[in-house]
mmCIF file of all heavy atoms in Angstrom:
data_model
loop_
_atom_site.group_PDB
_atom_site.id
_atom_site.type_symbol
_atom_site.label_atom_id
_atom_site.label_comp_id
_atom_site.label_asym_id
_atom_site.label_seq_id
_atom_site.Cartn_x
_atom_site.Cartn_y
_atom_site.Cartn_z
ATOM 1 N N LEU A 1 -26.617 -55.822 131.181
ATOM 2 C CA LEU A 1 -26.639 -55.786 129.707
ATOM 3 C C LEU A 1 -25.224 -55.275 129.209
ATOM 4 O O LEU A 1 -24.700 -55.847 128.307
ATOM 5 C CB LEU A 1 -27.721 -54.630 129.262
ATOM 6 C CG LEU A 1 -27.587 -54.323 127.765
ATOM 7 C CD1 LEU A 1 -28.001 -55.524 126.867
ATOM 8 C CD2 LEU A 1 -28.638 -53.122 127.546
ATOM 9 N N ILE A 2 -24.688 -54.274 129.900
ATOM 10 C CA ILE A 2 -23.377 -53.749 129.481
ATOM 11 C C ILE A 2 -22.388 -54.932 129.626
ATOM 12 O O ILE A 2 -21.461 -55.146 128.724
ATOM 13 C CB ILE A 2 -22.899 -52.534 130.335
ATOM 14 C CG1 ILE A 2 -23.819 -51.402 129.933
ATOM 15 C CG2 ILE A 2 -21.449 -52.211 130.164
ATOM 16 C CD1 ILE A 2 -23.824 -50.240 130.923
ATOM 17 N N SER A 3 -22.328 -55.648 130.681
ATOM 18 C CA SER A 3 -21.414 -56.757 130.877
ATOM 19 C C SER A 3 -21.704 -57.832 129.877
ATOM 20 O O SER A 3 -20.701 -58.364 129.313
ATOM 21 C CB SER A 3 -21.661 -57.360 132.405
ATOM 22 O OG SER A 3 -20.823 -58.389 132.540
ATOM 23 N N TRP A 4 -22.885 -58.176 129.613
ATOM 24 C CA TRP A 4 -23.271 -59.225 128.528
ATOM 25 C C TRP A 4 -22.720 -58.826 127.191
ATOM 26 O O TRP A 4 -22.184 -59.558 126.493
ATOM 27 C CB TRP A 4 -24.691 -59.423 128.681
ATOM 28 C CG TRP A 4 -25.112 -60.465 127.710
ATOM 29 C CD1 TRP A 4 -25.241 -61.920 128.059
ATOM 30 C CD2 TRP A 4 -25.654 -60.435 126.357
ATOM 31 N NE1 TRP A 4 -25.664 -62.512 126.918
ATOM 32 C CE2 TRP A 4 -26.000 -61.741 125.869
ATOM 33 C CE3 TRP A 4 -25.836 -59.381 125.458
ATOM 34 C CZ2 TRP A 4 -26.381 -61.957 124.635
ATOM 35 C CZ3 TRP A 4 -26.306 -59.578 124.209
ATOM 36 C CH2 TRP A 4 -26.528 -60.929 123.734
ATOM 37 N N LEU A 5 -23.001 -57.486 126.802
ATOM 38 C CA LEU A 5 -22.611 -57.056 125.481
ATOM 39 C C LEU A 5 -21.147 -57.136 125.363
ATOM 40 O O LEU A 5 -20.548 -57.537 124.332
ATOM 41 C CB LEU A 5 -23.047 -55.611 125.245
ATOM 42 C CG LEU A 5 -24.454 -55.258 125.027
ATOM 43 C CD1 LEU A 5 -24.806 -53.887 125.160
ATOM 44 C CD2 LEU A 5 -24.898 -55.877 123.783
ATOM 45 N N ALA A 6 -20.372 -56.655 126.349
ATOM 46 C CA ALA A 6 -18.828 -56.719 126.328
ATOM 47 C C ALA A 6 -18.355 -58.049 126.103
ATOM 48 O O ALA A 6 -17.509 -58.325 125.254
ATOM 49 C CB ALA A 6 -18.294 -56.066 127.677
ATOM 50 N N LEU A 7 -18.936 -59.020 126.862
ATOM 51 C CA LEU A 7 -18.555 -60.478 126.741
ATOM 52 C C LEU A 7 -18.854 -61.109 125.424
ATOM 53 O O LEU A 7 -17.993 -61.610 124.756
ATOM 54 C CB LEU A 7 -19.143 -61.238 127.952
ATOM 55 C CG LEU A 7 -18.629 -62.800 127.886
ATOM 56 C CD1 LEU A 7 -17.209 -62.865 128.186
ATOM 57 C CD2 LEU A 7 -19.554 -63.486 128.985
ATOM 58 N N HIS A 8 -20.015 -60.911 125.042
ATOM 59 C CA HIS A 8 -20.522 -61.602 123.793
ATOM 60 C C HIS A 8 -20.307 -60.971 122.478
ATOM 61 O O HIS A 8 -20.188 -61.608 121.475
ATOM 62 C CB HIS A 8 -22.069 -61.901 123.938
ATOM 63 C CG HIS A 8 -22.383 -62.804 125.058
ATOM 64 N ND1 HIS A 8 -22.257 -64.182 124.858
ATOM 65 C CD2 HIS A 8 -22.786 -62.663 126.223
ATOM 66 C CE1 HIS A 8 -22.545 -64.792 125.907
ATOM 67 N NE2 HIS A 8 -22.810 -63.771 126.879
ATOM 68 N N ARG A 9 -19.992 -59.589 122.505
ATOM 69 C CA ARG A 9 -19.611 -58.935 121.289
ATOM 70 C C ARG A 9 -18.077 -58.673 121.146
ATOM 71 O O ARG A 9 -17.528 -58.720 120.035
ATOM 72 C CB ARG A 9 -20.351 -57.540 121.180
ATOM 73 C CG ARG A 9 -21.906 -57.855 120.938
ATOM 74 C CD ARG A 9 -22.546 -56.468 120.970
ATOM 75 N NE ARG A 9 -22.178 -55.568 120.025
ATOM 76 C CZ ARG A 9 -22.568 -55.517 118.695
ATOM 77 N NH1 ARG A 9 -23.445 -56.363 118.306
ATOM 78 N NH2 ARG A 9 -22.015 -54.591 117.868
ATOM 79 N N SER A 10 -17.435 -58.432 122.302
ATOM 80 C CA SER A 10 -16.019 -58.112 122.194
ATOM 81 C C SER A 10 -15.193 -59.054 122.996
ATOM 82 O O SER A 10 -13.891 -58.845 122.979
ATOM 83 C CB SER A 10 -15.777 -56.725 122.882
ATOM 84 O OG SER A 10 -16.578 -55.682 122.247
ATOM 85 N N HIS A 11 -15.729 -60.045 123.591
ATOM 86 C CA HIS A 11 -14.997 -61.111 124.312
ATOM 87 C C HIS A 11 -14.154 -60.488 125.400
ATOM 88 O O HIS A 11 -12.962 -60.883 125.716
ATOM 89 C CB HIS A 11 -14.134 -61.903 123.340
ATOM 90 C CG HIS A 11 -14.979 -62.468 122.290
ATOM 91 N ND1 HIS A 11 -15.972 -63.447 122.425
ATOM 92 C CD2 HIS A 11 -14.890 -62.103 120.950
ATOM 93 C CE1 HIS A 11 -16.420 -63.697 121.246
ATOM 94 N NE2 HIS A 11 -15.825 -62.862 120.315
ATOM 95 N N VAL A 12 -14.777 -59.486 126.111
ATOM 96 C CA VAL A 12 -14.069 -58.842 127.259
ATOM 97 C C VAL A 12 -14.972 -58.985 128.558
ATOM 98 O O VAL A 12 -16.166 -58.759 128.464
ATOM 99 C CB VAL A 12 -13.893 -57.266 126.898
ATOM 100 C CG1 VAL A 12 -13.383 -56.541 128.131
ATOM 101 C CG2 VAL A 12 -13.091 -57.078 125.769
ATOM 102 N N THR A 13 -14.259 -59.389 129.565
ATOM 103 C CA THR A 13 -15.022 -59.425 130.896
ATOM 104 C C THR A 13 -14.682 -58.122 131.620
ATOM 105 O O THR A 13 -13.503 -57.887 131.893
ATOM 106 C CB THR A 13 -14.542 -60.683 131.666
ATOM 107 O OG1 THR A 13 -14.839 -61.884 131.032
ATOM 108 C CG2 THR A 13 -15.331 -60.717 133.106
ATOM 109 N N LEU A 14 -15.636 -57.271 131.855
ATOM 110 C CA LEU A 14 -15.513 -56.053 132.503
ATOM 111 C C LEU A 14 -15.442 -56.107 133.966
ATOM 112 O O LEU A 14 -16.187 -56.925 134.570
ATOM 113 C CB LEU A 14 -16.675 -55.104 132.090
ATOM 114 C CG LEU A 14 -16.826 -54.794 130.631
ATOM 115 C CD1 LEU A 14 -18.090 -53.938 130.492
ATOM 116 C CD2 LEU A 14 -15.592 -54.012 130.105
ATOM 117 N N GLY A 15 -14.698 -55.322 134.627
ATOM 118 C CA GLY A 15 -14.645 -55.179 136.087
ATOM 119 C C GLY A 15 -15.723 -54.191 136.507
ATOM 120 O O GLY A 15 -16.364 -53.529 135.695
ATOM 121 N N ARG A 16 -15.963 -54.153 137.800
ATOM 122 C CA ARG A 16 -16.948 -53.287 138.338
ATOM 123 C C ARG A 16 -16.810 -51.882 137.984
ATOM 124 O O ARG A 16 -17.781 -51.147 137.631
ATOM 125 C CB ARG A 16 -16.915 -53.340 139.893
ATOM 126 C CG ARG A 16 -17.574 -54.481 140.495
ATOM 127 C CD ARG A 16 -17.513 -54.422 142.022
ATOM 128 N NE ARG A 16 -18.431 -55.384 142.678
ATOM 129 C CZ ARG A 16 -18.325 -55.699 143.866
ATOM 130 N NH1 ARG A 16 -17.427 -55.047 144.644
ATOM 131 N NH2 ARG A 16 -19.108 -56.593 144.385
ATOM 132 N N THR A 17 -15.559 -51.310 137.986
ATOM 133 C CA THR A 17 -15.338 -49.897 137.690
ATOM 134 C C THR A 17 -15.656 -49.584 136.199
ATOM 135 O O THR A 17 -16.209 -48.581 135.926
ATOM 136 C CB THR A 17 -13.830 -49.524 137.987
ATOM 137 O OG1 THR A 17 -13.615 -49.722 139.386
ATOM 138 C CG2 THR A 17 -13.604 -48.120 137.716
ATOM 139 N N GLN A 18 -15.307 -50.568 135.387
ATOM 140 C CA GLN A 18 -15.579 -50.337 133.885
ATOM 141 C C GLN A 18 -17.080 -50.290 133.729
ATOM 142 O O GLN A 18 -17.512 -49.526 133.037
ATOM 143 C CB GLN A 18 -14.994 -51.444 133.047
ATOM 144 C CG GLN A 18 -13.463 -51.332 133.045
ATOM 145 C CD GLN A 18 -12.795 -52.630 132.570
ATOM 146 O OE1 GLN A 18 -12.962 -53.729 133.236
ATOM 147 N NE2 GLN A 18 -12.172 -52.695 131.411
ATOM 148 N N VAL A 19 -17.765 -51.274 134.221
ATOM 149 C CA VAL A 19 -19.223 -51.300 134.077
ATOM 150 C C VAL A 19 -19.872 -50.007 134.651
ATOM 151 O O VAL A 19 -20.721 -49.414 133.994
ATOM 152 C CB VAL A 19 -19.842 -52.509 134.820
ATOM 153 C CG1 VAL A 19 -21.378 -52.383 134.925
ATOM 154 C CG2 VAL A 19 -19.303 -53.782 134.160
ATOM 155 N N GLN A 20 -19.365 -49.529 135.805
ATOM 156 C CA GLN A 20 -20.034 -48.353 136.451
ATOM 157 C C GLN A 20 -19.810 -47.112 135.599
ATOM 158 O O GLN A 20 -20.686 -46.330 135.374
ATOM 159 C CB GLN A 20 -19.443 -48.195 137.825
ATOM 160 C CG GLN A 20 -19.903 -49.107 138.840
ATOM 161 C CD GLN A 20 -21.469 -49.059 138.999
ATOM 162 O OE1 GLN A 20 -21.980 -47.968 139.274
ATOM 163 N NE2 GLN A 20 -22.079 -50.191 138.855
ATOM 164 N N LYS A 21 -18.650 -47.014 134.990
ATOM 165 C CA LYS A 21 -18.277 -45.845 134.185
ATOM 166 C C LYS A 21 -19.176 -45.834 132.824
ATOM 167 O O LYS A 21 -19.609 -44.848 132.426
ATOM 168 C CB LYS A 21 -16.878 -45.576 133.871
ATOM 169 C CG LYS A 21 -15.991 -45.455 135.085
ATOM 170 C CD LYS A 21 -16.499 -44.439 136.139
ATOM 171 C CE LYS A 21 -15.873 -44.692 137.516
ATOM 172 N NZ LYS A 21 -16.552 -45.593 138.370
ATOM 173 N N ILE A 22 -19.195 -47.000 132.233
ATOM 174 C CA ILE A 22 -19.969 -47.130 130.960
ATOM 175 C C ILE A 22 -21.416 -46.900 131.273
ATOM 176 O O ILE A 22 -22.138 -46.224 130.543
ATOM 177 C CB ILE A 22 -19.750 -48.485 130.345
ATOM 178 C CG1 ILE A 22 -18.364 -48.596 129.878
ATOM 179 C CG2 ILE A 22 -20.688 -48.736 129.117
ATOM 180 C CD1 ILE A 22 -17.713 -50.039 129.414
ATOM 181 N N LEU A 23 -21.971 -47.536 132.411
ATOM 182 C CA LEU A 23 -23.303 -47.262 132.845
ATOM 183 C C LEU A 23 -23.576 -45.838 133.060
ATOM 184 O O LEU A 23 -24.691 -45.221 132.694
ATOM 185 C CB LEU A 23 -23.540 -48.001 134.098
ATOM 186 C CG LEU A 23 -25.015 -47.975 134.735
ATOM 187 C CD1 LEU A 23 -26.023 -48.444 133.613
ATOM 188 C CD2 LEU A 23 -25.076 -48.781 136.026
ATOM 189 N N PHE A 24 -22.660 -45.066 133.651
ATOM 190 C CA PHE A 24 -22.806 -43.605 133.889
ATOM 191 C C PHE A 24 -22.807 -42.884 132.597
ATOM 192 O O PHE A 24 -23.728 -41.966 132.402
ATOM 193 C CB PHE A 24 -21.717 -43.073 134.790
ATOM 194 C CG PHE A 24 -21.702 -41.599 134.994
ATOM 195 C CD1 PHE A 24 -22.802 -41.134 135.760
ATOM 196 C CD2 PHE A 24 -20.781 -40.782 134.459
ATOM 197 C CE1 PHE A 24 -22.836 -39.707 135.922
ATOM 198 C CE2 PHE A 24 -20.919 -39.306 134.615
ATOM 199 C CZ PHE A 24 -21.956 -38.910 135.453
ATOM 200 N N ILE A 25 -22.062 -43.117 131.582
ATOM 201 C CA ILE A 25 -22.136 -42.552 130.350
ATOM 202 C C ILE A 25 -23.447 -42.789 129.705
ATOM 203 O O ILE A 25 -24.040 -41.881 129.067
ATOM 204 C CB ILE A 25 -20.952 -42.982 129.533
ATOM 205 C CG1 ILE A 25 -19.563 -42.434 130.071
ATOM 206 C CG2 ILE A 25 -21.077 -42.433 127.996
ATOM 207 C CD1 ILE A 25 -18.320 -43.124 129.452
ATOM 208 N N CYS A 26 -23.868 -44.004 129.717
ATOM 209 C CA CYS A 26 -25.206 -44.345 128.998
ATOM 210 C C CYS A 26 -26.393 -43.551 129.777
ATOM 211 O O CYS A 26 -27.206 -43.040 129.166
ATOM 212 C CB CYS A 26 -25.508 -45.837 129.181
ATOM 213 S SG CYS A 26 -24.331 -46.823 128.206
ATOM 214 N N TYR A 27 -26.200 -43.442 131.059
ATOM 215 C CA TYR A 27 -27.260 -42.840 131.917
ATOM 216 C C TYR A 27 -27.200 -41.308 131.562
ATOM 217 O O TYR A 27 -28.277 -40.749 131.375
ATOM 218 C CB TYR A 27 -26.812 -43.090 133.308
ATOM 219 C CG TYR A 27 -27.731 -42.508 134.446
ATOM 220 C CD1 TYR A 27 -28.879 -43.069 134.970
ATOM 221 C CD2 TYR A 27 -27.409 -41.202 135.034
ATOM 222 C CE1 TYR A 27 -29.585 -42.610 136.066
ATOM 223 C CE2 TYR A 27 -28.152 -40.589 136.064
ATOM 224 C CZ TYR A 27 -29.244 -41.295 136.468
ATOM 225 O OH TYR A 27 -30.028 -40.795 137.554
ATOM 226 N N GLY A 28 -26.077 -40.739 131.423
ATOM 227 C CA GLY A 28 -25.959 -39.287 131.249
ATOM 228 C C GLY A 28 -26.396 -38.950 129.807
ATOM 229 O O GLY A 28 -27.141 -38.010 129.663
ATOM 230 N N LEU A 29 -25.973 -39.657 128.890
ATOM 231 C CA LEU A 29 -26.469 -39.372 127.457
ATOM 232 C C LEU A 29 -27.902 -39.584 127.268
ATOM 233 O O LEU A 29 -28.655 -38.867 126.644
ATOM 234 C CB LEU A 29 -25.678 -40.322 126.492
ATOM 235 C CG LEU A 29 -24.170 -40.062 126.307
ATOM 236 C CD1 LEU A 29 -23.547 -41.068 125.436
ATOM 237 C CD2 LEU A 29 -24.096 -38.598 125.718
ATOM 238 N N TYR A 30 -28.597 -40.595 127.851
ATOM 239 C CA TYR A 30 -29.937 -40.890 127.854
ATOM 240 C C TYR A 30 -30.638 -39.670 128.440
ATOM 241 O O TYR A 30 -31.688 -39.207 127.895
ATOM 242 C CB TYR A 30 -30.369 -42.133 128.521
ATOM 243 C CG TYR A 30 -31.777 -42.498 128.436
ATOM 244 C CD1 TYR A 30 -32.260 -43.238 127.368
ATOM 245 C CD2 TYR A 30 -32.743 -42.081 129.482
ATOM 246 C CE1 TYR A 30 -33.601 -43.512 127.271
ATOM 247 C CE2 TYR A 30 -34.043 -42.315 129.292
ATOM 248 C CZ TYR A 30 -34.484 -43.083 128.236
ATOM 249 O OH TYR A 30 -35.823 -43.399 128.074
#
């Protein structure tokens, strides 16, 4: 989902590290 959102909303292809850190922030806030 994070990868898809970045691509389709911001036109950015995320690398593994970026996805992992954004996923961690989402996980922690949730």
Side-chain angles (χ1 to χ4, degrees):
L1 173 65
I2 290 165
S3 179
W4 186 87
L5 287 167
L7 181 66
H8 293 280
R9 291 176 58 87
S10 303
H11 309 289
V12 174
T13 300
L14 298 175
R16 281 181 170 167
T17 300
Q18 292 165 296
V19 170
Q20 289 297 307
K21 301 314 162 266
I22 295 170
L23 181 61
F24 178 68
I25 293 168
C26 294
Y27 180 89
L29 287 172
Y30 184 88

